[in-house]
Structures are given as structure tokens and as C-alpha cells.
Amino acid sequence: MLFRSLTTILATFFLTIFFVLQAQGSSSLQEQKIPVEEILFQADEFAKNAVGMDSFHLEGETLSFYQQRDYSPAWLVDNTLSSNAEIILDYLRASFEEGFCPEDYHLRQIEILIALNRFGKKQWGLNNPYWLGRLDILLTDAFMLYASDFIHGRVHPLDVDNRWRFNKNRPGMAKLLRFALENQQVSQVLEKLKPSFPGYRRLVAGLKKYRELAAEGGWERLPLGPSLRVGERDPRVLLLRHRLSITGELDGLIEQSSDLFDSSLRTALIRFQRRHGLAADGVLGAKTLEELNVSADARVRQIEVNLERLRWMPKSLGKKHLIVNIPDLTLTVVENEKAVMWMPVIVGKAYRKTPVFSARMTYIEFSPYWYVPPTILREDKLPKIQRDPGWLSRNNFEIIPWKGGEKAPLNPLEINWKKVEADKFPGMLRQRPGPWNPLGRVKFMFPNPYAVYLHDTNERHLFSRNIRLFSSGCIRIERPLDLAEYFLGPAGWDCYDILRAMSLDKPMRVDLPKAFPVYIFYMTAWVDSEGTVQFRKDLYLKDRILDQQILNRFRKPFLPH
């Protein structure tokens, strides 16, 4: 690797000398025009033939930018880097702090070109216009890619999840750069592109912390073995103590030499379990051991992937909003960046995933009907009905004719069920409101293309599970009464009003006074308001897909969506 880098630098140096001497034969280099236009139109061929040269990432935007300025340099003043150039260089050098890779922004090539031009000027008092031109173009391409990575993302979300739906303004890069240069606001523009919500800056700080842990060697893996509980002795206890002291769950001043699993170690292990979404029982079992043995490098990468997701988000989520984080299996209502309500949720199974999107809650429906989805009708309900048509009435189901609005339900005993097929079912199969209904007593509606909503459930025992992937895509909530009171309390509803509405024999719709923003997130790493780094399992394997997309970003042409 070192040999290859030295070879590239030497080859670049001799190419530079060649161009210097070639240009000297015609006229003074100081008087020559910097050939930006020529370099742009020869870019592909040049990158192909010159040793170690980067190609441009945003060729169309870069070309458009220079065409509108008649191919004059953007970052040079009297053949010297401008103050704007020094500013963008500082941002590129520090881009790793945001979870970026500086080499994506030509930093190595830029630094080489700067060094070679300074060397040539110092030794011979000469500038190489060709290399100054390439330096200028690389700085332009780097600015626009760096800005694009904040606005569009390094990977477009639809390349990872084709059901992603979040709206975000996406200005053109050439226009953005012209504004920054003309108004001397390169730094201000780049700062404004960074997500402004506190969660992003906290996660950037978390990235720094875990990079430091990784640089210091991380932690040693704990060997497999039987579960360990308080009061037991085991040689692995020493390793567990050391492991938890590295990430801060165990006070470093506590005795570290004992192999006894004591109460202080149990308390520290519970802290670890809670910030990794595990059952907080204070027992070193298989799932806890698995999370303990995830390396520091892997945690760094997990944080970087989740920073990418945060850059996909709108600049502001609104003063009040509701968030469901799928990997955390929780719902949170936020007001002025503070959580005012929290509760567990149940989300979609791995093969019926809850989608990631945003919408606006507009109404609540009490005592809802449950309309049986086609898959469940075909695979579960129809076989039961064909065996015993009386099963429908005993389980509070009814069949409403396809045409006829609110006509009386069909009589199931008058239907020849032997001839009925799922795709030719005689009407809509629905279950009446009541405690038997899978939607429970209330649902919270935010219209979206996926027919996903929040709802109560008649299987409340499932909330006692630590991993809750049981739904067909919709989101079941633990405390629907509290959530309904939060939305309707300001309109004069009290607990008794809501309970009465939940007990009706027909649905009742209540429109909200104002639409309420709802965000269905997928975050496996974040930093909470107390500064604690939180990690969760990648339940739908979306981290793995996104990580691979980031690694492959320049293996195909980069085109912002």
C-alpha cells in the first residue's frame, strides 16, 4: 500500500515537471490562462491515463457551474488558493467527524496538487496552469459532493428502502456554490446543510467517543459459557468487569480483581442491557453476551450508518411530533425537543415489515371495524368458514355486500361455501367492534400509501415480550387511552368520554383540530437527551444493506435523485 502511494506521488510529480517544461517552451507560466474548460472536457480521458488521478463525481453539476462563469477559476486568486479554498479544505479535512470519508472528496489528490504547486513555485518561481486548473475543479467537485451528501445523502434512501417516504427540499449544487462564493458564505452555507436537531449533534459526539475507544484497542471478547447471575463466581467475571468499565457502565474505582458476580456488577450489567434494548434482568445470558462481544469498530460503523439516516431527514420535525422507532419498539411524543409520552409498541414481522415514512395524523376512530386483509382471508378465515359457516356469527364477523353501501349483512347460511374462492368472496368480511377485535377499541389514522396506522390490540400480553415483531405492518400501542387523551384532552375530552367512545357498537370518527406530524423511523444507534449512546438490534437488516450501499457508492455513476 505504501509502495503504491509513493509510486503515485512520484508519477504525479514527474507528470507535473513534464507539463511545467512543456508550458515553459511557449510562454511564461505566470501569464498563461488556467485551462479549466480544456480540463473539464478531457476529464474522463485524463483520469483514465494519469496515474492515481480521481475522476469527478458530479460531472454535470460541475460543468454547469463553470459554464455559467465562462470557465474562470472559482477557488484561486492570482494563482493562489483563496480564503474560500482554505475554508472548504478545513471542512474536507474534518469530514470524518461527520462520519464521512475524506477521500471521497478528492482530499488526497487536492493535497498533492497543493504541495506540488507550492514546490514548483518555491524552486522555480513558476505555477503550472494545468494543475492549478485541475485543483480548482477538484475543489468545486468536492464542495458540491460534500454539500450533496448532507442534502441528498451519500446513498439515496430509495436505494435502500423503496418504500421510504420523507419530503426534503433538494437545491441544485451549482446554484448553491455560486451563492456561497458570491456572498463569501462558504462556511455558513455548509453549516446550514448539517441537520440542526440536537439528536444529530449528539450522535456525532457519540461517534467521536466510540472512535476513541476503537483507537485504544476496544475490548476483549468474553468467552462462551453458562449464564452468570449475582452471587456466582467465574473467571469470566474479571473480563466482564473490565468490559463494562471501558464503556462506562461500571465505575472504574470499583474493585476489579474479584471473580465474584456481586451487586455492583449486576447494576452495571443492567445499565448495559437497557442501553442495548435487552431484557434488563442483570443476568449474563446468551443475548447479552452477543451484544457485549460486538466490537468497537462495528459500533463505530453502526453509528456512521445511522448518521446517514439522520441526514435523510427533514431539517425540522416540528415543535410537536410523534415518533415510532422500529428497532427500539417504542412510540414517543415530543414537544419542543422533549419527550412528553413514551410507550412500547408492536411492529411488523420480518416478512411483513413496518415501512419507514412520514405522514400527518388527521383523525381518531373509536370502536373500529376490522376489515380482514386478503391474505388472512385466503389463508386463515375462508377454510374455517367452509368447515363451519356458523363460525362467523360466533366470532362476531359479518359479510357486507360489495355493492350496496350500508345494506344489511349477507346471511352466511344462504351461501354455498363449497364454491366460494378467496378472490371471488361474496362481500367484505369484517369483524364488529368489541374486545375480540384485533384493532382493539381505537385506531389513530394518518393516511399513507401503506394503510399503516396506530391501534389498540386484544393481545395485550405480547407487550411483555422484549422483541415484539408480531403485526402485519401496522403498529400496536400499549396505552391507547393515554394517547387518545393527549390528542383530545385540549378539545375538552376526559377519560370517561374516551372510554364511552371505546365501548360503542359502531365506529365513531373524531377529527383532530390540527394535523399532527408522525414519523416512522428506523434507528439502531442514537444518543439520548442524557448523553447515553443507545444501540439496538438491526431487526430488518437495514443497517447491513445501507452499509454495503455506502461502500459501493462510487462503483457506479453517482447521480443525485
Side-chain angles (χ1 to χ4, degrees):
M1 190 73 176
L2 178 60
F3 176 76
R4 188 186 309 166
S5 298
L6 289 172
T7 303
T8 300
I9 293 170
L10 287 172
T12 305
F13 174 76
F14 287 120
L15 279 170
T16 303
I17 298 301
F18 170 77
F19 282 115
V20 169
L21 295 175
Q22 189 179 52
Q24 270 186 311
S26 57
S27 63
S28 168
L29 284 169
Q30 298 285 8
E31 298 172 358
Q32 279 191 305
K33 181 180 178 181
I34 296 174
V36 171
E37 183 175 8
E38 177 187 348
I39 294 169
L40 277 169
F41 284 100
Q42 294 179 356
D44 288 340
E45 192 66 26
F46 181 85
K48 189 187 305 178
N49 294 323
V51 179
M53 294 295 104
D54 289 349
S55 59
F56 306 132
H57 298 312
L58 300 179
E59 293 181 28
E61 291 270 19
T62 302
L63 181 60
S64 171
F65 171 76
Y66 280 105
Q67 284 174 335
Q68 293 182 25
R69 58 188 296 114
D70 196 25
Y71 300 102
S72 62
W75 305 96
L76 302 171
V77 176
D78 296 329
N79 293 337
T80 302
L81 288 178
S82 67
S83 59
N84 284 327
E86 297 293 350
I87 291 171
I88 186 59
L89 275 169
D90 287 342
Y91 274 91
L92 300 182
R93 289 165 181 152
S95 60
F96 71 95
E97 296 174 1
E98 305 287 333
F100 292 151
C101 175
E103 291 308 308
D104 286 354
Y105 311 110
H106 314 293
L107 185 60
R108 178 174 164 278
Q109 285 297 316
I110 289 169
E111 300 280 24
I112 289 174
L113 286 169
I114 291 171
L116 287 173
N117 276 287
R118 285 175 178 168
F119 178 81
K121 191 170 184 179
K122 181 179 180 181
Q123 293 296 316
W124 304 298
L126 302 171
N127 284 309
N128 182 334
Y130 197 93
W131 290 105
L132 284 174
R134 184 162 182 82
L135 172 59
D136 198 89
I137 298 169
L138 285 176
L139 284 169
T140 293
D141 196 56
F143 174 97
M144 292 199 289
L145 183 63
Y146 182 77
S148 175
D149 284 351
F150 277 112
I151 298 171
H152 301 283
R154 289 181 291 174
V155 173
H156 195 280
L158 290 176
D159 291 338
V160 179
D161 187 342
N162 61 12
R163 298 197 296 178
W164 176 276
R165 289 293 180 274
F166 281 94
N167 295 322
K168 186 175 182 180
N169 294 328
R170 300 177 181 276
M173 296 300 102
K175 180 179 180 181
L176 190 69
L177 177 53
R178 282 197 305 275
F179 174 86
L181 293 175
E182 290 170 4
N183 295 279
Q184 295 294 308
Q185 292 190 11
V186 171
S187 178
Q188 293 91 325
V189 166
L190 293 178
E191 285 299 322
K192 286 181 180 179
L193 294 180
K194 297 178 182 179
S196 58
F197 43 88
Y200 180 80
R201 298 316 316 168
R202 291 198 297 260
L203 193 54
V204 167
L207 175 62
K208 180 181 179 181
K209 173 184 176 180
Y210 270 80
R211 277 183 170 161
E212 290 171 352
L213 292 176
E216 292 167 1
W219 44 79
E220 188 177 349
R221 288 180 62 85
L222 274 69
L224 297 175
S227 296
L228 291 178
R229 293 173 172 79
V230 67
E232 297 180 340
R233 290 185 180 274
D234 190 288
R236 290 181 299 156
V237 169
L238 297 172
L239 290 174
L240 179 59
R241 288 182 182 279
H242 183 60
R243 167 67 182 84
L244 294 177
S245 66
I246 290 173
T247 45
E249 288 86 7
L250 185 65
D251 189 337
L253 300 177
I254 293 177
E255 174 61 44
Q256 298 287 318
S257 60
S258 173
D259 66 353
L260 175 65
F261 194 126
D262 58 18
S263 60
S264 65
L265 183 58
R266 181 179 182 273
T267 299
L269 189 59
I270 288 173
R271 291 194 190 104
F272 177 88
Q273 290 170 328
R274 283 177 176 159
R275 75 181 192 91
H276 289 78
L278 300 164
D281 57 6
V283 176
L284 179 60
K287 292 180 179 179
T288 300
L289 183 64
E290 181 183 357
E291 293 300 313
L292 285 163
N293 283 338
V294 174
S295 70
D297 287 330
R299 292 304 188 195
V300 166
R301 193 62 185 160
Q302 186 175 354
I303 292 173
E304 290 174 346
V305 163
N306 282 275
L307 280 171
E308 175 74 357
R309 288 196 180 101
L310 288 179
R311 287 188 287 267
W312 293 342
M313 300 301 299
K315 291 288 287 183
S316 172
L317 304 182
K319 290 184 178 180
K320 293 183 180 182
H321 55 270
L322 182 152
I323 295 173
V324 172
N325 185 7
I326 296 169
D328 191 35
L329 299 161
T330 59
L331 175 154
T332 307
V333 178
V334 178
E335 292 184 2
N336 298 315
E337 299 176 356
K338 292 184 179 180
V340 297
M341 184 179 295
W342 176 96
M343 67 183 70
V345 301
I346 293 168
V347 299
K349 304 176 180 72
Y351 60 91
R352 289 183 181 173
K353 300 178 179 69
T354 297
V356 176
F357 66 99
S358 66
R360 299 178 75 80
M361 188 183 299
T362 55
Y363 69 96
I364 298 172
E365 185 174 299
F366 293 102
S367 302
Y369 285 114
W370 177 52
Y371 291 89
V372 180
T375 302
I376 297 177
L377 173 63
R378 181 180 63 254
E379 298 177 1
D380 179 45
K381 305 305 180 189
L382 182 56
K384 291 179 179 177
I385 298 169
Q386 288 175 327
R387 288 194 299 269
D388 177 14
W391 176 89
L392 286 166
S393 59
R394 292 197 304 274
N395 289 277
N396 301 289
F397 282 96
E398 57 188 21
I399 303 169
I400 305 302
W402 289 115
K403 295 181 180 180
E406 289 301 316
K407 284 189 175 181
L410 300 176
N411 185 346
L413 300 179
E414 296 177 354
I415 298 172
N416 186 353
W417 289 104
K418 292 182 180 179
K419 295 183 178 181
V420 172
E421 299 177 0
D423 58 353
K424 295 181 181 179
F425 203 77
M428 289 185 295
L429 180 62
R430 70 185 186 188
Q431 192 170 33
R432 290 184 289 274
W436 47 78
N437 192 302
L439 302 183
R441 301 288 193 149
V442 60
K443 60 182 183 179
F444 301 81
M445 304 301 292
F446 36 98
N448 60 83
Y450 317 111
V452 167
Y453 46 86
L454 307 176
H455 67 86
D456 186 14
T457 177
N458 63 344
E459 296 182 301
R460 311 202 61 77
H461 63 282
L462 295 177
F463 288 107
S464 64
R465 307 282 186 90
N466 191 54
I467 300 297
R468 299 181 294 277
L469 306 180
F470 300 113
S471 86
S472 296
C474 284
I475 300 156
R476 309 177 197 174
I477 60 176
E478 185 187 47
R479 303 198 319 274
L481 177 62
D482 290 350
L483 191 61
E485 194 169 10
Y486 172 82
F487 286 115
L488 299 180
W493 288 60
D494 61 22
C495 180
Y496 298 103
D497 295 327
I498 293 170
L499 287 172
R500 281 192 291 271
M502 285 180 167
S503 302
L504 301 173
D505 58 4
K506 287 186 178 181
M508 175 183 178
R509 171 172 168 156
V510 180
D511 292 328
L512 298 184
K514 185 178 179 181
F516 199 88
V518 174
Y519 299 92
I520 313 300
F521 277 0
Y522 192 94
M523 294 290 296
T524 64
W526 70 95
V527 178
D528 63 27
S529 59
E530 296 179 354
T532 302
V533 184
Q534 301 278 343
F535 295 106
R536 295 295 183 270
K537 292 285 286 185
D538 184 14
L539 299 176
Y540 293 165
L541 303 181
K542 289 181 181 288
D543 279 7
R544 187 179 302 180
I545 297 169
L546 177 53
D547 188 29
Q548 194 60 48
Q549 289 277 4
I550 292 172
L551 292 173
N552 292 340
R553 69 181 303 208
F554 292 131
R555 294 184 185 179
K556 57 184 179 180
F558 181 87
L559 297 173
H561 293 247

